[in-house]
Coordinates of all heavy atoms in Angstrom, one line a residue:
M770 N -8.4 -36.1 2.4 CA -8.6 -34.7 1.7 C -7.8 -34.7 0.4 O -6.6 -35.0 0.4 CB -8.3 -33.6 2.7 CG -8.7 -32.3 2.1 SD -8.1 -31.0 3.2 CE -6.9 -30.2 2.2
K771 N -8.4 -34.3 -0.6 CA -7.7 -34.2 -1.8 C -7.1 -32.8 -2.1 O -7.8 -31.8 -1.9 CB -8.6 -34.4 -3.0 CG -8.0 -35.4 -4.0 CD -9.0 -35.9 -5.0 CE -8.3 -35.9 -6.5 NZ -9.1 -35.2 -7.5
I772 N -5.9 -32.7 -2.3 CA -5.3 -31.3 -2.6 C -5.4 -30.9 -4.0 O -5.0 -31.7 -5.0 CB -3.8 -31.4 -2.2 CG1 -3.6 -31.8 -0.8 CG2 -3.1 -30.1 -2.5 CD1 -2.2 -31.9 -0.4
K773 N -6.0 -29.8 -4.2 CA -6.3 -29.3 -5.5 C -5.2 -28.4 -6.0 O -4.5 -27.7 -5.1 CB -7.6 -28.6 -5.5 CG -8.8 -29.5 -5.2 CD -10.1 -28.7 -5.5 CE -11.3 -29.5 -5.1 NZ -12.0 -28.8 -4.0
K774 N -5.1 -28.2 -7.3 CA -4.1 -27.2 -7.8 C -4.3 -25.8 -7.2 O -3.4 -25.1 -6.9 CB -4.3 -27.1 -9.3 CG -3.2 -27.8 -10.1 CD -3.3 -27.3 -11.5 CE -2.4 -28.2 -12.4 NZ -2.8 -28.2 -13.8
R775 N -5.6 -25.5 -7.1 CA -5.8 -24.1 -6.5 C -5.3 -23.9 -5.1 O -4.8 -22.9 -4.8 CB -7.4 -23.9 -6.5 CG -7.8 -22.5 -6.9 CD -9.3 -22.3 -6.7 NE -9.4 -22.0 -5.2 CZ -10.5 -22.2 -4.5 NH1 -11.5 -22.8 -5.1 NH2 -10.6 -21.9 -3.2
D776 N -5.3 -25.0 -4.3 CA -4.9 -24.9 -2.9 C -3.4 -24.6 -2.9 O -2.8 -23.8 -2.2 CB -5.1 -26.1 -2.1 CG -6.6 -26.4 -2.1 OD1 -7.4 -25.5 -1.9 OD2 -7.1 -27.6 -2.1
I777 N -2.7 -25.4 -3.8 CA -1.3 -25.1 -4.0 C -0.9 -23.7 -4.4 O 0.0 -23.1 -3.9 CB -0.6 -26.2 -5.0 CG1 -0.9 -27.6 -4.4 CG2 0.8 -26.0 -5.2 CD1 -0.5 -28.7 -5.3
A778 N -1.7 -23.3 -5.4 CA -1.5 -21.9 -5.8 C -1.7 -20.9 -4.7 O -0.9 -19.9 -4.5 CB -2.4 -21.5 -7.0
L779 N -2.7 -21.2 -3.9 CA -2.9 -20.2 -2.7 C -1.8 -20.3 -1.7 O -1.3 -19.2 -1.2 CB -4.2 -20.6 -2.1 CG -5.5 -20.0 -2.6 CD1 -6.7 -20.4 -1.8 CD2 -5.4 -18.5 -2.5
I780 N -1.3 -21.5 -1.4 CA -0.2 -21.6 -0.5 C 1.1 -20.9 -1.0 O 1.7 -20.2 -0.3 CB 0.1 -23.1 -0.3 CG1 -1.1 -23.7 0.7 CG2 1.4 -23.3 0.6 CD1 -1.1 -25.2 0.7
A781 N 1.3 -21.1 -2.3 CA 2.5 -20.5 -2.9 C 2.3 -19.0 -2.8 O 3.3 -18.3 -2.5 CB 2.6 -20.9 -4.3
L782 N 1.2 -18.5 -3.1 CA 1.0 -17.1 -3.0 C 1.2 -16.6 -1.6 O 1.8 -15.5 -1.4 CB -0.5 -16.7 -3.4 CG -0.8 -15.3 -3.7 CD1 -0.2 -14.8 -4.9 CD2 -2.4 -15.1 -3.6
G783 N 0.7 -17.3 -0.6 CA 0.9 -17.0 0.7 C 2.4 -16.8 1.1 O 2.8 -15.9 1.8
I784 N 3.2 -17.8 0.6 CA 4.6 -17.7 0.9 C 5.2 -16.6 0.3 O 6.1 -15.9 1.0 CB 5.3 -19.1 0.4 CG1 4.7 -20.2 1.3 CG2 6.8 -19.0 0.6 CD1 5.2 -21.6 0.8
V785 N 4.9 -16.3 -0.9 CA 5.5 -15.1 -1.6 C 5.1 -13.9 -0.9 O 6.0 -13.0 -0.6 CB 4.9 -15.1 -3.0 CG1 5.3 -13.7 -3.6 CG2 5.5 -16.2 -4.0
L786 N 3.9 -13.8 -0.5 CA 3.4 -12.6 0.4 C 4.3 -12.4 1.6 O 4.6 -11.3 2.0 CB 1.9 -12.8 0.7 CG 1.2 -11.4 0.8 CD1 1.0 -10.8 -0.5 CD2 -0.2 -11.8 1.5
V787 N 4.4 -13.5 2.4 CA 5.2 -13.5 3.6 C 6.6 -13.0 3.4 O 7.1 -12.1 4.1 CB 5.1 -14.8 4.4 CG1 6.2 -14.9 5.4 CG2 3.8 -15.0 4.9
L788 N 7.2 -13.5 2.3 CA 8.6 -13.2 2.1 C 8.6 -11.7 1.6 O 9.6 -11.0 2.0 CB 9.1 -14.0 0.9 CG 9.4 -15.5 1.2 CD1 9.8 -16.2 -0.1 CD2 10.4 -15.6 2.4
F789 N 7.7 -11.3 0.9 CA 7.7 -9.9 0.4 C 7.6 -8.9 1.7 O 8.2 -8.0 1.8 CB 6.5 -9.6 -0.5 CG 6.5 -8.2 -0.9 CD1 7.2 -7.7 -1.9 CD2 5.4 -7.4 -0.4 CE1 7.2 -6.5 -2.3 CE2 5.4 -6.0 -0.8 CZ 6.2 -5.6 -1.8
L790 N 6.7 -9.3 2.6 CA 6.5 -8.5 3.8 C 7.8 -8.5 4.7 O 8.1 -7.5 5.2 CB 5.4 -9.1 4.6 CG 4.0 -8.8 4.1 CD1 2.9 -9.4 4.9 CD2 3.7 -7.3 3.8
L791 N 8.4 -9.7 4.7 CA 9.6 -9.7 5.5 C 10.8 -8.9 4.9 O 11.6 -8.3 5.6 CB 10.2 -11.2 5.7 CG 9.3 -12.1 6.5 CD1 9.8 -13.5 6.5 CD2 9.3 -11.5 8.0
A792 N 10.8 -8.7 3.6 CA 11.9 -8.0 2.9 C 11.6 -6.5 2.9 O 12.5 -5.7 2.7 CB 12.0 -8.5 1.5
A793 N 10.4 -6.1 3.1 CA 10.0 -4.7 3.1 C 10.5 -3.9 4.2 O 11.0 -4.5 5.2 CB 8.4 -4.7 3.0
P794 N 10.6 -2.6 4.0 CA 11.0 -1.7 5.2 C 10.2 -1.9 6.4 O 9.2 -2.5 6.4 CB 10.8 -0.3 4.6 CG 10.6 -0.5 3.2 CD 10.1 -1.8 2.9
P795 N 10.7 -1.4 7.6 CA 10.1 -1.6 8.8 C 8.5 -1.5 8.9 O 8.0 -0.7 8.3 CB 10.8 -0.5 9.7 CG 12.1 -0.2 9.1 CD 11.8 -0.5 7.6
E796 N 8.1 -2.5 9.7 CA 6.6 -2.7 9.8 C 6.0 -1.4 10.2 O 4.8 -1.1 10.1 CB 6.3 -3.8 10.8 CG 6.6 -5.1 10.2 CD 5.5 -5.8 9.6 OE1 4.3 -5.5 10.0 OE2 5.7 -6.6 8.6
S797 N 6.8 -0.5 10.9 CA 6.2 0.6 11.7 C 5.7 1.6 10.7 O 5.0 2.6 11.1 CB 7.2 1.2 12.6 OG 8.3 1.7 11.9
T798 N 6.1 1.7 9.4 CA 5.6 2.6 8.4 C 4.1 2.6 8.4 O 3.5 1.6 8.3 CB 6.1 2.4 7.0 OG1 7.5 2.3 7.1 CG2 5.8 3.5 6.1
S799 N 3.5 3.8 8.5 CA 1.9 3.9 8.7 C 1.3 3.3 7.4 O 1.9 3.5 6.3 CB 1.5 5.3 8.9 OG 2.1 6.1 7.9
R800 N 0.2 2.7 7.5 CA -0.5 2.1 6.5 C -1.4 3.1 5.8 O -1.7 4.2 6.4 CB -1.4 0.9 7.0 CG -0.5 -0.3 7.2 CD -1.3 -1.4 7.8 NE -0.4 -2.5 8.1 CZ -0.4 -3.6 7.3 NH1 -1.2 -3.8 6.3 NH2 0.5 -4.6 7.6
V801 N -1.7 2.9 4.6 CA -2.7 3.7 3.9 C -4.1 3.5 4.6 O -4.6 2.4 4.6 CB -2.8 3.4 2.4 CG1 -3.9 4.4 1.8 CG2 -1.6 3.6 1.8
P802 N -4.7 4.6 5.2 CA -6.0 4.3 6.0 C -7.0 3.8 5.0 O -7.1 4.2 3.8 CB -6.3 5.7 6.5 CG -5.2 6.6 6.2 CD -4.3 6.0 5.2
Y803 N -7.9 2.9 5.5 CA -9.1 2.5 4.7 C -10.2 3.4 5.2 O -11.0 3.0 6.0 CB -9.3 1.0 5.0 CG -10.4 0.5 4.0 CD1 -10.1 0.4 2.6 CD2 -11.6 0.1 4.6 CE1 -11.1 0.0 1.8 CE2 -12.6 -0.4 3.7 CZ -12.3 -0.4 2.3 OH -13.3 -0.8 1.4
D804 N -10.2 4.6 4.7 CA -11.3 5.5 5.0 C -11.9 6.1 3.7 O -11.6 5.6 2.6 CB -10.7 6.7 5.9 CG -9.5 7.4 5.2 OD1 -9.3 7.4 4.0 OD2 -8.8 8.2 6.0
D805 N -12.8 7.0 3.9 CA -13.5 7.6 2.7 C -12.5 8.2 1.7 O -12.8 8.2 0.5 CB -14.5 8.7 3.2 CG -15.7 8.1 3.9 OD1 -15.9 6.9 3.8 OD2 -16.5 8.7 4.5
I806 N -11.4 8.8 2.3 CA -10.5 9.5 1.3 C -9.8 8.4 0.4 O -9.6 8.6 -0.7 CB -9.5 10.3 2.1 CG1 -10.2 11.4 2.9 CG2 -8.4 10.9 1.2 CD1 -9.3 12.1 3.9
H807 N -9.3 7.3 1.1 CA -8.4 6.5 0.5 C -9.0 5.3 -0.1 O -8.3 4.4 -0.7 CB -7.2 6.1 1.5 CG -6.5 7.3 1.9 ND1 -6.7 8.0 3.1 CD2 -5.3 7.8 1.5 CE1 -5.9 8.9 3.2 NE2 -5.0 8.9 2.2
Q808 N -10.3 5.1 0.2 CA -10.9 3.9 -0.2 C -10.8 3.6 -1.8 O -10.6 2.4 -2.1 CB -12.4 3.9 0.2 CG -13.0 2.6 0.3 CD -14.6 2.7 0.7 OE1 -15.0 3.8 1.1 NE2 -15.2 1.5 0.5
E809 N -11.0 4.6 -2.5 CA -10.9 4.5 -4.0 C -9.6 3.9 -4.4 O -9.5 3.2 -5.5 CB -11.2 5.8 -4.7 CG -10.1 6.9 -4.5 CD -10.4 8.2 -5.3 OE1 -10.4 8.0 -6.6 OE2 -10.5 9.2 -4.7
F810 N -8.6 4.1 -3.7 CA -7.3 3.7 -4.1 C -7.1 2.1 -3.8 O -6.3 1.4 -4.7 CB -6.2 4.4 -3.4 CG -6.2 5.9 -3.7 CD1 -6.4 6.8 -2.7 CD2 -6.1 6.3 -5.0 CE1 -6.5 8.1 -2.9 CE2 -6.1 7.7 -5.3 CZ -6.3 8.5 -4.2
Y811 N -7.9 1.6 -2.9 CA -7.9 0.2 -2.8 C -8.6 -0.5 -4.0 O -8.1 -1.5 -4.5 CB -8.8 -0.1 -1.6 CG -7.9 0.1 -0.2 CD1 -7.8 1.4 0.2 CD2 -7.4 -1.0 0.4 CE1 -7.1 1.7 1.4 CE2 -6.6 -0.8 1.6 CZ -6.5 0.6 2.1 OH -5.7 0.7 3.2
D812 N -9.5 0.2 -4.6 CA -10.1 -0.3 -5.8 C -9.2 -0.2 -7.0 O -9.1 -1.1 -7.8 CB -11.4 0.4 -6.2 CG -12.5 0.3 -5.0 OD1 -12.4 -0.7 -4.3 OD2 -13.4 1.1 -4.8
I813 N -8.4 0.8 -7.0 CA -7.5 1.1 -8.2 C -6.4 0.1 -8.1 O -6.0 -0.5 -9.1 CB -6.9 2.5 -8.2 CG1 -8.0 3.5 -8.4 CG2 -5.9 2.6 -9.3 CD1 -7.7 5.0 -8.4
V814 N -5.9 -0.2 -6.9 CA -4.8 -1.2 -6.6 C -5.3 -2.6 -7.1 O -4.6 -3.3 -7.8 CB -4.3 -1.2 -5.2 CG1 -3.4 -2.4 -5.0 CG2 -3.5 0.0 -4.9
A815 N -6.5 -2.9 -6.7 CA -7.1 -4.2 -7.0 C -7.3 -4.3 -8.6 O -7.0 -5.3 -9.1 CB -8.5 -4.3 -6.3
A816 N -7.7 -3.2 -9.2 CA -8.1 -3.3 -10.7 C -6.9 -3.1 -11.5 O -6.7 -3.7 -12.6 CB -9.2 -2.3 -11.0
E817 N -6.0 -2.1 -11.1 CA -4.9 -1.7 -12.1 C -3.6 -1.8 -11.6 O -2.5 -1.5 -12.2 CB -5.2 -0.2 -12.6 CG -6.4 0.0 -13.3 CD -6.8 1.5 -13.5 OE1 -5.9 2.1 -14.0 OE2 -7.8 1.9 -13.1
G818 N -3.4 -2.1 -10.2 CA -2.2 -2.2 -9.6 C -1.7 -1.0 -8.8 O -2.3 0.2 -9.0
K819 N -0.6 -1.1 -8.1 CA -0.1 0.0 -7.2 C 0.4 1.1 -8.0 O 0.1 2.3 -7.6 CB 1.1 -0.5 -6.4 CG 0.7 -1.6 -5.4 CD 1.8 -2.1 -4.5 CE 1.2 -3.1 -3.5 NZ 2.4 -3.5 -2.6
K820 N 1.1 0.9 -9.1 CA 1.6 2.1 -9.9 C 0.5 3.1 -10.3 O 0.7 4.2 -10.2 CB 2.4 1.6 -11.0 CG 3.9 1.3 -10.7 CD 4.7 1.1 -12.0 CE 6.2 1.0 -11.6 NZ 7.0 0.4 -12.7
A821 N -0.5 2.5 -10.7 CA -1.7 3.3 -11.1 C -2.3 4.1 -10.0 O -2.5 5.3 -10.2 CB -2.8 2.5 -11.8
A822 N -2.4 3.5 -8.8 CA -2.9 4.2 -7.6 C -2.0 5.3 -7.1 O -2.5 6.4 -6.8 CB -3.1 3.2 -6.5
E823 N -0.7 5.0 -7.2 CA 0.2 6.0 -6.7 C 0.2 7.4 -7.3 O 0.7 8.3 -6.8 CB 1.7 5.4 -6.7 CG 1.9 4.4 -5.6 CD 3.2 3.6 -5.9 OE1 3.7 3.6 -7.1 OE2 3.7 2.9 -5.0
K824 N -0.2 7.3 -8.6 CA -0.1 8.6 -9.4 C -1.0 9.7 -8.8 O -0.8 10.7 -9.0 CB -0.6 8.3 -10.8 CG 0.3 7.5 -11.7 CD -0.1 7.6 -13.1 CE 0.7 6.6 -13.9 NZ -0.1 5.6 -14.6
N825 N -2.0 9.2 -8.0 CA -2.9 10.2 -7.4 C -2.5 10.7 -6.0 O -3.1 11.7 -5.6 CB -4.2 9.5 -7.2 CG -4.8 8.9 -8.5 OD1 -5.0 9.6 -9.5 ND2 -4.8 7.6 -8.6
C826 N -1.6 10.1 -5.3 CA -1.3 10.5 -3.9 C -0.9 11.9 -3.8 O -1.4 12.5 -2.9 CB -0.2 9.6 -3.4 SG -0.5 7.8 -3.6
E827 N 0.0 12.4 -4.7 CA 0.5 13.7 -4.5 C -0.4 14.8 -4.8 O 0.0 16.0 -4.7 CB 1.9 13.7 -5.2 CG 2.9 13.0 -4.3 CD 4.3 13.0 -5.0 OE1 4.6 12.1 -5.8 OE2 5.1 13.9 -4.7
T828 N -1.6 14.6 -5.3 CA -2.6 15.6 -5.5 C -3.0 16.2 -4.1 O -3.2 17.3 -4.0 CB -3.9 15.2 -6.2 OG1 -4.4 14.0 -5.6 CG2 -3.5 14.8 -7.6
C829 N -2.9 15.4 -3.1 CA -3.2 15.9 -1.7 C -1.9 15.9 -0.9 O -1.8 16.8 -0.1 CB -4.2 14.9 -1.0 SG -5.7 14.8 -1.8
H830 N -1.1 14.8 -1.0 CA 0.1 14.8 -0.2 C 1.2 15.6 -0.8 O 2.0 15.1 -1.6 CB 0.5 13.3 0.0 CG -0.5 12.6 0.9 ND1 -0.5 12.6 2.2 CD2 -1.5 11.7 0.5 CE1 -1.5 11.9 2.7 NE2 -2.0 11.3 1.8
N831 N 1.2 16.9 -0.6 CA 2.2 17.8 -1.1 C 2.2 18.9 0.0 O 1.5 19.0 0.8 CB 1.8 18.3 -2.5 CG 0.5 19.1 -2.5 OD1 0.5 20.1 -1.8 ND2 -0.5 18.7 -3.2
P832 N 3.3 19.7 -0.2 CA 3.6 20.7 0.9 C 2.4 21.6 1.2 O 2.3 22.2 2.2 CB 4.8 21.5 0.4 CG 5.5 20.5 -0.5 CD 4.4 19.7 -1.2
D833 N 1.5 21.9 0.1 CA 0.4 22.8 0.3 C -0.8 22.1 0.8 O -1.9 22.7 1.1 CB 0.1 23.5 -1.0 CG 1.3 24.3 -1.4 OD1 2.0 25.0 -0.6 OD2 1.6 24.3 -2.7
G834 N -0.9 20.8 0.7 CA -2.0 20.0 1.0 C -1.8 19.3 2.4 O -1.7 20.0 3.5
V835 N -1.6 18.0 2.3 CA -1.3 17.2 3.5 C 0.2 17.0 3.5 O 0.7 16.3 2.7 CB -2.0 15.9 3.6 CG1 -1.8 15.1 4.8 CG2 -3.5 16.0 3.3
P836 N 0.9 17.9 4.3 CA 2.4 17.8 4.2 C 3.0 16.5 4.7 O 2.4 15.9 5.5 CB 2.8 19.1 5.1 CG 1.7 19.4 5.9 CD 0.4 18.8 5.4
F837 N 4.2 16.2 4.1 CA 4.9 15.1 4.7 C 5.7 15.5 5.9 O 6.0 16.6 6.1 CB 5.9 14.6 3.7 CG 5.2 14.1 2.4 CD1 5.1 14.9 1.3 CD2 4.8 12.8 2.4 CE1 4.5 14.4 0.1 CE2 4.2 12.3 1.2 CZ 4.1 13.1 0.0
P838 N 5.9 14.5 6.9 CA 6.9 14.8 8.0 C 8.2 15.3 7.4 O 8.6 15.0 6.3 CB 7.1 13.4 8.7 CG 6.0 12.6 8.2 CD 5.5 13.1 6.8
A839 N 8.9 16.1 8.1 CA 10.1 16.8 7.7 C 11.2 15.8 7.2 O 11.9 15.9 6.4 CB 10.6 17.8 8.7
D840 N 11.1 14.6 8.0 CA 12.2 13.7 7.8 C 11.7 12.5 6.8 O 12.2 11.4 6.9 CB 12.8 13.0 9.1 CG 11.6 12.4 10.0 OD1 10.4 12.7 9.5 OD2 11.8 11.8 10.9
H841 N 10.8 12.9 6.1 CA 10.3 11.8 5.1 C 11.2 11.4 4.1 O 11.9 12.1 3.5 CB 9.0 12.3 4.5 CG 8.2 11.2 3.8 ND1 8.5 10.7 2.6 CD2 7.1 10.5 4.2 CE1 7.7 9.7 2.3 NE2 6.8 9.6 3.3
P842 N 11.4 10.0 3.9 CA 12.4 9.5 2.9 C 11.9 9.7 1.5 O 10.8 10.1 1.3 CB 12.3 7.9 3.3 CG 11.1 7.7 3.9 CD 10.7 8.9 4.7
P843 N 12.8 9.6 0.6 CA 12.4 9.8 -0.8 C 11.1 9.0 -1.1 O 10.9 7.8 -0.7 CB 13.5 9.2 -1.6 CG 14.7 9.1 -0.7 CD 14.0 9.0 0.7
K844 N 10.1 9.7 -1.9 CA 8.8 9.1 -2.0 C 8.3 8.8 -3.3 O 7.1 9.2 -3.7 CB 7.8 10.2 -1.3 CG 8.2 11.6 -1.6 CD 7.3 12.5 -0.6 CE 7.5 14.0 -1.0 NZ 8.9 14.5 -0.7
F845 N 9.2 8.2 -4.1 CA 8.8 7.9 -5.5 C 7.8 6.8 -5.6 O 7.0 6.7 -6.5 CB 10.0 7.7 -6.4 CG 11.0 6.8 -5.7 CD1 11.0 5.4 -6.1 CD2 11.9 7.3 -4.8 CE1 11.9 4.6 -5.5 CE2 12.9 6.5 -4.2 CZ 12.8 5.1 -4.5
R846 N 7.8 5.9 -4.6 CA 6.8 4.7 -4.7 C 6.2 4.6 -3.4 O 6.4 3.7 -2.5 CB 7.5 3.4 -5.1 CG 8.1 3.4 -6.4 CD 7.1 3.0 -7.6 NE 6.1 2.2 -7.2 CZ 6.0 1.0 -7.5 NH1 7.0 0.4 -8.1 NH2 4.9 0.3 -7.3
C847 N 5.0 5.3 -3.2 CA 4.3 5.4 -1.9 C 4.0 4.0 -1.3 O 4.3 3.7 -0.1 CB 3.1 6.2 -2.0 SG 3.1 7.6 -2.9
L848 N 3.4 3.3 -2.2 CA 2.8 2.0 -1.8 C 3.9 0.9 -1.5 O 3.6 -0.2 -1.0 CB 1.8 1.5 -2.7 CG 0.6 2.5 -2.7 CD1 -0.4 2.0 -3.8 CD2 0.0 2.7 -1.4
F849 N 5.2 1.2 -1.9 CA 6.2 0.2 -1.6 C 6.5 0.3 -0.1 O 6.8 -0.8 0.5 CB 7.5 0.6 -2.3 CG 8.6 -0.4 -2.2 CD1 8.4 -1.6 -2.8 CD2 9.6 -0.2 -1.4 CE1 9.4 -2.7 -2.6 CE2 10.6 -1.3 -1.3 CZ 10.5 -2.5 -1.9
C850 N 6.3 1.5 0.6 CA 6.6 1.5 2.1 C 5.2 1.6 2.8 O 5.1 0.9 3.9 CB 7.3 2.8 2.3 SG 9.0 2.9 1.4
H851 N 4.3 2.3 2.3 CA 3.0 2.4 3.0 C 2.1 1.3 2.5 O 1.5 1.4 1.4 CB 2.4 3.8 2.8 CG 3.2 4.9 3.4 ND1 3.2 5.2 4.7 CD2 4.1 5.8 2.8 CE1 4.0 6.2 4.9 NE2 4.5 6.6 3.8
K852 N 1.9 0.3 3.2 CA 1.1 -0.8 2.9 C -0.4 -0.4 3.0 O -0.8 0.4 3.7 CB 1.4 -2.1 3.8 CG 2.8 -2.5 3.9 CD 3.3 -3.0 2.5 CE 4.8 -3.3 2.6 NZ 5.3 -3.3 1.3
M853 N -1.2 -1.2 2.2 CA -2.6 -1.0 2.4 C -3.0 -1.8 3.6 O -2.4 -2.8 4.1 CB -3.3 -1.7 1.1 CG -2.7 -1.2 -0.2 SD -2.9 0.5 -0.5 CE -4.5 0.6 -1.3
E854 N -4.1 -1.4 4.2 CA -4.7 -2.1 5.3 C -5.2 -3.6 4.8 O -5.6 -3.7 3.7 CB -6.0 -1.4 5.9 CG -5.7 -0.1 6.5 CD -5.0 -0.2 7.8 OE1 -4.9 -1.3 8.4 OE2 -4.9 0.9 8.5
E855 N -5.0 -4.6 5.7 CA -5.5 -5.9 5.4 C -7.0 -5.7 5.4 O -7.7 -5.0 6.2 CB -5.1 -7.0 6.4 CG -3.9 -6.7 7.0 CD -2.7 -7.5 6.4 OE1 -3.0 -8.5 5.6 OE2 -1.5 -7.2 6.6
R856 N -7.7 -6.5 4.5 CA -9.2 -6.4 4.5 C -9.6 -7.9 4.5 O -9.1 -8.8 4.0 CB -9.6 -5.8 3.2 CG -9.6 -4.2 3.4 CD -10.5 -3.6 2.4 NE -9.9 -3.7 1.0 CZ -10.6 -3.5 -0.1 NH1 -11.8 -3.3 0.0 NH2 -10.0 -3.6 -1.2
Ligands
LIG1958 C1 -8.1 13.4 -1.6 C2 -6.8 13.6 -0.9 C3 -5.9 12.4 -0.6 C4 -5.4 11.6 -1.5 C5 -5.6 11.6 -3.0 C6 -4.5 10.7 -0.7 N1 -4.6 11.0 0.5 FE1 -3.5 10.1 2.0 N2 -4.3 11.3 3.4 C7 -5.2 12.4 3.1 C8 -5.5 13.1 4.5 C9 -6.5 14.2 4.6 C10 -4.9 12.3 5.5 C11 -4.9 12.5 6.9 C12 -6.3 12.0 7.5 C13 -6.4 10.5 7.3 O1 -5.7 9.8 8.0 O2 -7.3 10.0 6.5 C14 -4.1 11.3 4.9 C15 -3.3 10.3 5.5 C16 -2.5 9.4 4.9 C17 -1.5 8.6 5.6 C18 -1.2 8.6 7.1 C19 -2.0 7.7 7.8 C20 -1.7 7.8 9.3 O3 -1.6 6.8 9.9 O4 -1.5 9.0 9.8 C21 -0.9 7.8 4.7 C22 0.2 6.8 4.8 C23 -1.5 8.1 3.3 N3 -2.4 9.2 3.6 C24 -1.1 7.6 2.1 C25 -1.6 7.9 1.0 C26 -1.3 7.3 -0.3 C27 -0.2 6.1 -0.4 C28 -2.0 7.8 -1.3 C29 -2.1 7.4 -2.7 C30 -2.5 6.0 -3.0 C31 -2.9 8.9 -0.6 N4 -2.7 8.9 0.7 C32 -3.8 9.6 -1.3 C33 -5.6 12.8 1.9 C34 -5.3 12.1 0.7
LIG1959 C1 11.1 4.7 1.3 C2 9.8 4.4 2.0 C3 8.7 5.4 1.9 C4 8.1 5.9 0.6 C5 8.5 5.5 -0.7 C6 7.0 6.8 1.0 N1 7.0 6.9 2.4 FE1 5.7 8.0 3.5 N2 6.7 7.6 5.2 C7 7.7 6.7 5.3 C8 8.2 6.7 6.7 C9 9.4 5.8 7.2 C10 7.3 7.6 7.4 C11 7.5 8.1 8.9 C12 7.0 7.0 9.8 C13 5.5 6.9 9.6 O1 4.7 7.9 10.1 O2 5.0 5.9 8.9 C14 6.4 8.1 6.4 C15 5.4 9.0 6.8 C16 4.4 9.4 5.9 C17 3.2 10.2 6.3 C18 2.9 10.7 7.7 C19 2.3 9.6 8.4 C20 1.8 9.9 9.7 O3 1.5 9.0 10.5 O4 1.6 11.1 10.0 C21 2.5 10.3 5.1 C22 1.1 11.1 5.0 C23 3.1 9.7 4.0 N3 4.4 9.2 4.5 C24 2.8 9.6 2.7 C25 3.6 9.1 1.7 C26 3.1 9.2 0.3 C27 1.9 9.9 -0.2 C28 4.1 8.7 -0.5 C29 4.3 8.7 -2.0 C30 4.2 10.1 -2.6 C31 5.1 8.2 0.5 N4 4.7 8.5 1.8 C32 6.2 7.5 0.1 C33 8.3 5.9 4.3 C34 8.0 6.1 2.9

């Protein structure tokens, strides 16, 4: 079997991903549901990245909408802690 450049790139990407997940906060943090509400953010993340998607979270996730748990940590970067579902 001949190893192609693309394969090496994929393996490297995989390693980076695993390291990133290991370094991230506890796995138990709930993921962003892949449902009708949140599906569009999966597209935004894919197209424009996490920062672009996160701008929209607090239109619903605020004290008058979908409230946060009382002990919620500082929430400036939602997607740093709340991972997207694997697809
Ligand atoms: C249109 C309103 C709306 C927007 C915008 C929105 N959410 Fe939600 N979110 C909800 C509602 C309603 C629920 C509870 C029902 C559900 O699980 O879908 C929820 C639930 C969640 C949950 C909890 C899932 C669980 O396991 O209980 C997380 C985490 C979450 N959202 C993250 C996000 C993030 C991150 C963003 C921005 C990328 C976002 N949401 C944008 C309405 C919204
Ligand atoms: C520093 C890490 C961190 C950041 C940043 C963060 N969260 Fe959380 N969030 C948590 C933890 C920890 C919990 C409590 C455990 C759980 O339910 O996942 C939580 C809980 C939640 C819940 C309730 C989940 C449930 O199962 O009921 C929602 C909704 C939520 N966060 C949305 C958001 C949104 C929207 C943002 C961005 C505005 C955000 N979070 C930013 C760590 C974070």
Side-chain angles (χ1 to χ4, degrees):
M770 188 183 112
K771 220 168 145 238
I772 298 176
K773 296 192 190 115
K774 253 198 190 149
R775 222 192 77 207
D776 298 329
I777 296 171
L779 273 178
I780 291 165
L782 190 74
I784 292 170
V785 168
L786 207 71
V787 167
L788 288 178
F789 179 76
L790 290 176
L791 286 177
E796 291 269 327
S797 59
T798 306
S799 53
R800 286 173 180 256
V801 182
Y803 187 65
D804 56 14
D805 288 349
I806 299 171
H807 298 88
Q808 200 181 350
E809 64 174 299
F810 302 116
Y811 284 76
D812 299 334
I813 297 176
V814 168
E817 299 169 53
K819 291 183 178 182
K820 272 192 173 164
E823 281 164 347
K824 288 195 188 120
N825 306 293
C826 308
E827 282 177 272
T828 54
C829 299
H830 291 281
N831 62 60
D833 301 318
V835 186
F837 295 98
D840 56 349
H841 194 280
K844 41 191 182 294
F845 45 97
R846 293 287 322 263
C847 315
L848 297 179
F849 188 73
C850 300
H851 296 281
K852 305 295 177 200
M853 312 295 271
E854 295 286 358
E855 330 258 343
R856 278 198 285 161

